[in-house]
Amino acid sequence: MTTTAPEVAATREALGPTLIRLRNEGLDIVVVDADLGASTSARRFKSEFPDRWFSFGIAEQNMFSAAGGLATMGYTVFASTFAVFAEHAYDQIRMNIAQPNLNVKIVVSHGGVSVGEDGASAQSIEDFALFASLMNFRCIVPADVVEAAAAEECAARTPGPFFIRTGRARTRTLYTDGPKFRLGVADRMREGTDLTIVACGLMVERALDAATALQNEGISARVLNMATIRPLDEEALVAAARETGAIVVAEEHLSHTGLGGMCAQLLASKQPVPMEFVGVPNRYGESGTWSEVLEIMGLTAQGVADAARRVVARK
Amino acid sequence: MLVVTSAPMDLQSLSRRVREHVLRMVYGAQSGHIGGSFSAADIMAVLYTEVLKHDPQRPDWPQRDRFIMSKGHCTPVQYAILAEMGYLPVEELSTFRKKGTRLQGHSVLGKPAGVDNTAGSLGMGLSFGLGIALGARLRGEDLSTYVLMGDGEQAEGQVWEAAMAAAYHKADRLVAIIDRNKIQNDDFVANQMVSEPLDEKYRAFGWAVRDGLDGHNFEQIAEGLRWARDVQGQPACVIFDTIKGKGVSFMENNPGFHGAAPSADQLAAALQELGVAP
């Protein structure tokens, strides 16, 4: 990352520069790749540190299992591919990384439906569920490129497995003054009293826009960036429910198995309040530009604002 | 090469004790895998006493050779040889598969120390071993990684992803050992999938291959393992012909003893055949 954050950028763009910087700072990083390093930006590491770059061809299962083996030799292993192709190697990740609790950082790009044109098979709408189901994994969905770099650095400096989902869509940079990322701690980006919008990934930008629109109607919305979706920031979530009395959860994923389901489970036992959910509806995606596909799925500031009005009406 | 083991062993009596442990463990748990443990028992006995560079007193020794059990259901033979080597008390073997045990049904990394991978889903060990071999080479460590697979396991596509990648990376400190016992879970391998000719397949993937060795002949096992260890410039695969259930007549070549526990009568008969007092 340069010190000046770009106005718009894709979260996937953080990985290559961050890996190079961290290796230059002396971290014992190696990178494994399955022919998507140009797309995930990890490949920039190869030209700087060719002996620490391992190609596995188009073979994700082998790559993730080998990443586990490499980690047993003391390395901090970064493995990157597209989100759907990490799903392809789920059992390998479960048995060779999660169960033995090895030091592998899985940074996927092209997450969610905002892959756009590539269509349904390329759009991951179930990866939060899969990776949040793996014990020992910490799961992060950064809201912008600045937060992505901070999350990747945190993963590199924290032992154990991580899953970080980045995207292809070039979205607005929110942390123009620098990252505020802390593992497992939600960032309260906007104060509010009538409800709280809990969001991750590119839905944070939409949540902030929705909060601005709601303000004009006299509805005061708090916005929590829940970048770490596992473990959840229980304290911030319970406080939000107690203090604002209503919750909207917004994510680029199926709600029932994603951040929405996880927040609902926690609040049901700790601080039940009315909740509404903005997520991928119960369907697979389709082709279109990334913003068109988000529109089709209702993953917009308008969709979040509508959910906010519904939940406030239920209070 | 330095080979650290306990005192020189009588391989015949070592492999007999290993088989006895396997029988008692699986009988005690009333579950577990005897057939594939017996087919690999002689290979494991030779590997741990004559080839593997290891030190049971220092199981986390960074420069140790690594043994990766890819056919992770064959923990009985793995725990038995580790106990004989001194990695865990022989008495602990009786806890196999029981509540509170360290000795789960399938391999768990670090339980006990000496187990270097987690296994159970087949086809992943060669990839995991490849990662170790690549990491060791980058560190400049003088160590080899041995991966034990079954012949039925060769149907897993990931094995061939790893085979392709190991040759691409010229991982010559990676050794694949195939326990060709010709039986898998439900039936004979040949009735379930065409995995042969394994030697030609590995050669085509860029490996050095030795085939046709008797996996129950100690001299041939040692020769094959040492040959594989010393191959340079490419990974090496040594294929041992074995007999599933080897050592107990009514278990030999019997698909019924892939994953079945013996009755009390069968245990007594089996121990008698091994020449062990019940």
Side-chain angles (χ1 to χ4, degrees), chain A:
Chain A
M1 286 301 302
T2 53
T3 47
T4 318
E7 274 186 36
V8 292
T11 47
R12 65 167 162 151
E13 294 171 39
L15 183 60
T18 302
L19 291 173
I20 292 167
R21 179 170 62 81
L22 294 175
R23 176 61 196 148
N24 280 328
E25 290 178 16
L27 272 68
D28 201 0
I29 289 171
V30 296
V31 179
V32 299
D33 174 66
D35 196 39
L36 287 171
S39 300
T40 67
S41 82
R43 193 176 170 86
R44 298 191 211 173
F45 184 88
K46 181 186 181 185
S47 49
E48 301 283 327
F49 307 105
D51 60 327
R52 287 177 168 264
W53 170 272
F54 297 102
S55 167
F56 286 91
I58 305 169
E60 294 82 11
Q61 301 178 113
N62 185 42
M63 177 182 75
F64 282 112
S65 291
L70 271 159
T72 67
M73 298 304 291
Y75 298 101
T76 299
V77 185
F78 273 80
S80 70
T81 183
F82 291 176
V84 288
F85 303 141
E87 296 180 8
H88 174 62
Y90 192 63
D91 189 21
Q92 284 74 17
I93 294 166
R94 171 182 172 272
M95 198 182 84
N96 287 146
I97 298 172
Q99 292 197 345
N101 194 17
L102 293 173
N103 197 28
V104 178
K105 323 300 177 182
I106 299 175
V107 182
V108 299
S109 71
H110 295 58
V113 295
S114 58
V115 176
E117 294 85 345
D118 282 344
S121 76
Q123 296 169 356
S124 64
I125 59 174
E126 56 286 281
D127 50 332
F128 296 0
L130 290 169
F131 285 87
S133 300
L134 295 173
M135 299 306 104
N136 298 317
F137 262 86
R138 273 66 57 87
C139 303
I140 305 170
V141 188
D144 74 359
V145 71
V146 175
E147 187 167 67
E152 286 152 8
E153 176 163 2
C154 168
R157 295 186 186 281
T158 309
F162 275 75
F163 171 78
I164 299 176
R165 188 229 253 187
T166 68
R168 175 170 173 269
R170 291 175 61 80
T171 52
R172 207 163 78 218
T173 300
L174 307 176
Y175 291 100
T176 48
D177 297 331
K180 293 185 180 167
F181 177 77
R182 286 168 62 203
L183 182 62
V185 180
D187 179 26
R188 196 194 290 199
M189 298 185 75
R190 184 182 172 110
E191 299 299 336
T193 53
D194 296 327
L195 81 151
T196 300
I197 305 169
V198 178
C200 65
L202 55 68
M203 291 310 289
V204 174
E205 178 190 335
R206 280 139 197 81
L208 291 168
D209 290 348
T212 302
L214 291 164
Q215 186 73 43
N216 298 332
E217 303 169 22
I219 298 175
S220 166
R222 180 183 295 184
V223 175
L224 282 184
N225 172 11
M226 193 66 76
T228 307
I229 64 167
R230 185 175 170 86
L232 282 177
D233 184 345
E234 178 175 331
E235 198 181 320
L237 199 54
V238 170
R242 191 177 57 238
E243 292 161 14
T244 68
I247 301 281
V248 169
V249 184
E251 64 193 304
E252 194 188 355
H253 189 275
L254 293 167
S255 285
H256 70 290
T257 56
L259 182 61
M262 291 189 269
C263 290
Q265 188 207 16
L266 192 143
L267 291 176
S269 56
K270 304 279 182 180
Q271 187 76 32
V273 293
M275 296 183 74
E276 293 284 336
F277 304 93
V278 180
V280 174
N282 289 317
R283 54 164 294 190
Y284 288 114
E286 58 190 273
S287 285
T289 66
W290 64 268
S291 54
E292 286 168 346
V293 176
L294 289 176
E295 186 89 27
I296 290 167
M297 296 292 181
L299 302 178
T300 58
Q302 182 64 43
V304 176
D306 288 345
R309 292 182 195 104
R310 287 198 305 273
V311 84
V312 168
R314 288 172 53 203
K315 280 176 81 173

Side-chain angles (χ1 to χ4, degrees), chain B:
Chain B
M1 178 176 291
L2 172 70
V3 176
V4 182
T5 67
S6 40
M9 291 253 180
D10 170 2
L11 284 167
Q12 197 70 49
S13 60
L14 173 62
S15 66
R16 186 166 59 233
R17 284 198 303 281
V18 165
R19 286 190 170 89
E20 179 190 353
H21 295 321
V22 168
L23 277 172
R24 294 192 191 279
M25 289 161 76
V26 175
Y27 176 74
Q30 277 301 295
S31 69
H33 299 79
I34 295 176
S37 288
F38 277 8
S39 65
D42 299 316
I43 298 168
M44 294 287 272
V46 173
L47 180 68
Y48 271 83
T49 56
E50 298 197 359
V51 181
L52 203 68
K53 181 179 67 169
H54 70 125
D55 180 355
Q57 302 309 311
R58 291 184 296 158
D60 57 353
W61 179 31
Q63 284 79 39
R64 71 191 184 281
D65 286 341
R66 302 300 196 274
F67 172 74
I68 299 302
M69 177 63 103
S70 191
K71 42 181 236 163
H73 53 287
C74 292
T75 43
V77 72
Q78 186 178 23
Y79 299 148
I81 195 78
L82 288 174
E84 283 290 327
M85 294 296 108
Y87 285 90
L88 71 158
V90 168
E91 302 73 47
E92 190 180 343
L93 295 175
S94 65
T95 69
F96 175 61
R97 283 180 173 249
K98 293 176 182 166
K99 184 181 172 185
T101 189
R102 291 194 296 170
L103 310 180
Q104 294 196 31
H106 294 77
S107 316
V108 176
L109 188 148
K111 293 185 179 180
V115 175
D116 274 331
N117 67 309
T118 293
S121 293
L122 292 172
M124 300 190 195
L126 195 58
S127 302
F128 198 80
L130 172 60
I132 294 171
L134 295 175
R137 185 165 68 189
L138 181 59
R139 286 245 187 277
E141 302 285 17
D142 174 28
L143 64 88
S144 298
T145 302
Y146 300 85
V147 180
L148 179 66
M149 295 181 284
D151 54 347
E153 183 179 5
Q154 303 303 306
E156 291 279 7
Q158 187 183 352
V159 171
W160 303 99
E161 293 184 4
M164 202 181 293
Y168 166 78
H169 286 289
K170 298 184 170 55
D172 57 4
R173 301 298 296 272
L174 179 66
V175 173
I177 307 167
I178 299 180
D179 172 9
R180 183 199 270 140
N181 63 30
K182 303 167 207 67
I183 294 175
Q184 54 191 74
N185 189 70
D186 278 6
D187 201 342
F188 289 90
V189 174
N191 293 338
Q192 300 293 80
M193 183 46 60
V194 181
S195 62
E196 300 290 347
L198 289 173
D199 58 339
E200 290 180 23
K201 285 176 178 158
Y202 274 91
R203 270 192 203 99
F205 274 74
W207 288 57
V209 180
R210 280 289 295 274
D211 192 5
L213 296 170
D214 179 351
H216 302 300
N217 177 307
F218 298 126
E219 287 178 9
Q220 289 192 30
I221 295 168
E223 184 201 332
L225 292 175
R226 289 196 183 109
W227 167 83
R229 178 192 66 196
D230 295 337
V231 165
Q232 294 191 356
Q234 63 187 139
C237 174
V238 54
I239 305 171
F240 292 112
D241 281 312
T242 61
I243 296 168
K244 193 136 179 172
K246 170 72 176 180
V248 173
S249 60
F250 59 89
M251 295 178 176
E252 289 185 359
N253 268 319
N254 180 357
F257 276 99
H258 168 84
S263 66
D265 288 347
Q266 287 172 326
L267 174 69
L271 288 173
Q272 190 168 23
E273 279 199 34
L274 288 179
V276 179

